[in-house]
Amino acid sequence: MNSNQSDSTAARIDSDDSDDGDGESDEVRVWLVERTYGDDELNLIILVYATENGRRYHRRERALTSFTGPARETKAGLLVSSDGLGSVDDPETRERYADEASRMAAQHDPTDSV
């Protein structure tokens, strides 16, 4: 993952990433691959979603207190704009994300709470 990219940094999808979406050219299906606590912030949860090939990711940050109530459920999968994706540059991370995204896709519907 390119750690220099912020959540708002846009990343273009290469033509060979077209299998990441559901046929929509503007939205891409991503699956939850990582949930960690932030190192620099107290009570911050970092959610990382990735494409099934592990080449693109989407990161969300939430305050721990925002996880209460049904409106803030963590979904197994999301459809995100292609502009909201960063590229995963590290081959080991890419492989790990691909394995986990594929596992999540096989075991869950995108709307499942996890």
Side-chain angles (χ1 to χ4, degrees), residues 18-92:
S18 60
D19 63 334
D20 292 349
D22 64 347
E24 297 284 328
S25 60
D26 193 39
E27 291 187 316
V28 177
R29 172 72 63 203
V30 291
W31 296 92
L32 184 66
V33 296
E34 192 171 85
R35 182 180 352 212
T36 58
Y37 287 99
D39 293 333
D40 299 335
E41 302 284 333
L42 295 177
N43 298 321
L44 185 67
I45 302 293
I46 300 167
L47 302 171
V48 178
Y49 290 80
T51 57
E52 284 190 67
N53 65 11
R55 297 176 69 190
R56 300 285 190 211
Y57 77 97
H58 175 76
R59 177 181 158 136
R60 293 196 171 179
E61 296 178 353
R62 282 198 200 156
L64 184 59
T65 56
S66 73
F67 278 88
T68 58
R72 297 301 290 179
E73 293 177 319
T74 300
K75 300 296 183 186
L78 301 174
L79 276 177
V80 297
S81 168
S82 60
D83 292 341
L85 296 174
S87 62
V88 180
D89 299 325
D90 177 60
E92 289 180 20

Side-chain angles (χ1 to χ4, degrees), residues 2-30:
N2 186 343
S3 60
N4 294 332
Q5 289 184 321
S6 68
D7 291 345
S8 61
T9 301
R12 235 177 355 106
I13 293 187
D14 300 328
S15 60
D16 59 351
D17 283 336
S18 60
D19 63 334
D20 292 349
D22 64 347
E24 297 284 328
S25 60
D26 193 39
E27 291 187 316
V28 177
R29 172 72 63 203
V30 291

